[in-house]
Amino acid sequence: MRKVSNASEYVASQDKWKEEIILLRELCLQTELEETIKWGIPTYTYRNNNIVGIASFKNHCALWFHQGVFLKDQKKILINANKEQTKGLRQLRFKDKSEINPEIILEYLKESIQNEKEGKRIRPQKTAVLTLPEELSNFFKENPRIKDQFNQLTAYKQKEYAEFIGSAKKHPTRIKRLEKSIPLIQKGLGLNDKYRD
């Protein structure tokens, strides 16, 4: 699917679920939510916080409630698409326009907005403190400027370097890996950036 810059383009790009998406979009726009595009789909926010998105799939279209776990769901219609990994997201699926009940959808949308106003949301869990291998830690003590450059990297990139250096069994290998890593750290690059888009 081609990249879209607004919800109208997204609707125009649809073949199978166009009528359903038009109706869902109209319902979202009846609320105080603001429309934008995120992850290539129409997304509706309240004070820049994601509330709900509209997406089409092969066998259905759906409303994605970003903090849907907090909805009362008295109708028992919300689905957790991946129970092992999904904490907050819940979705309503539709296979036909006749399944879209505007009254119920508006009720769920308004409750989602109220939940956002009340601060009900899943908070990201804090990640464990990064443990640096001794060779890297010692190097940073003698080279505080490079330590600062390392600290400017994302947590994921820092972890890559710590594991790359620390996973070597022998000290000379850890030193070689440290020496290989320093120029990349100085350039603000991750260990495997060349393999990523």
Side-chain angles (χ1 to χ4, degrees), residues 2-16:
R2 67 184 179 88
K3 191 173 181 179
V4 297
S5 60
N6 60 55
S8 296
E9 285 182 14
Y10 182 83
V11 171
S13 73
Q14 299 302 303
D15 294 322
K16 193 170 183 181

Side-chain angles (χ1 to χ4, degrees), residues 134-192:
E134 185 179 342
E135 291 79 3
L136 186 57
S137 185
N138 289 340
F139 179 84
F140 285 157
K141 286 176 189 171
E142 296 172 18
N143 299 277
R145 189 166 159 266
I146 297 174
K147 180 181 180 182
D148 289 342
Q149 292 168 324
F150 179 82
N151 288 336
Q152 289 174 15
L153 297 173
T154 63
Y156 180 79
K157 290 178 181 181
Q158 291 177 11
K159 183 179 177 189
E160 273 185 333
Y161 282 115
E163 288 178 352
F164 173 65
I165 296 165
S167 64
K169 292 180 181 171
K170 295 182 180 179
H171 177 74
T173 307
R174 288 194 294 274
I175 294 298
K176 282 183 184 176
R177 289 183 179 186
L178 172 63
E179 290 169 352
K180 177 184 175 183
S181 300
I182 298 309
L184 296 171
I185 292 170
Q186 289 177 306
K187 291 177 185 175
L189 298 173
L191 183 64
N192 296 307

Side-chain angles (χ1 to χ4, degrees), residues 97-145:
K97 188 177 173 184
S98 64
E99 296 177 359
I100 301 172
N101 182 322
E103 190 177 307
I104 292 172
I105 302 297
L106 284 170
E107 179 185 315
Y108 278 59
L109 288 170
K110 288 174 183 174
E111 185 184 350
S112 293
I113 295 166
Q114 186 58 41
N115 286 345
E116 176 61 33
K117 289 177 180 178
E118 293 173 10
K120 293 181 183 175
R121 63 171 52 178
I122 298 283
R123 308 278 180 206
Q125 293 181 336
K126 291 186 177 179
T127 53
V129 176
L130 179 66
T131 304
L132 299 179
E134 185 179 342
E135 291 79 3
L136 186 57
S137 185
N138 289 340
F139 179 84
F140 285 157
K141 286 176 189 171
E142 296 172 18
N143 299 277
R145 189 166 159 266

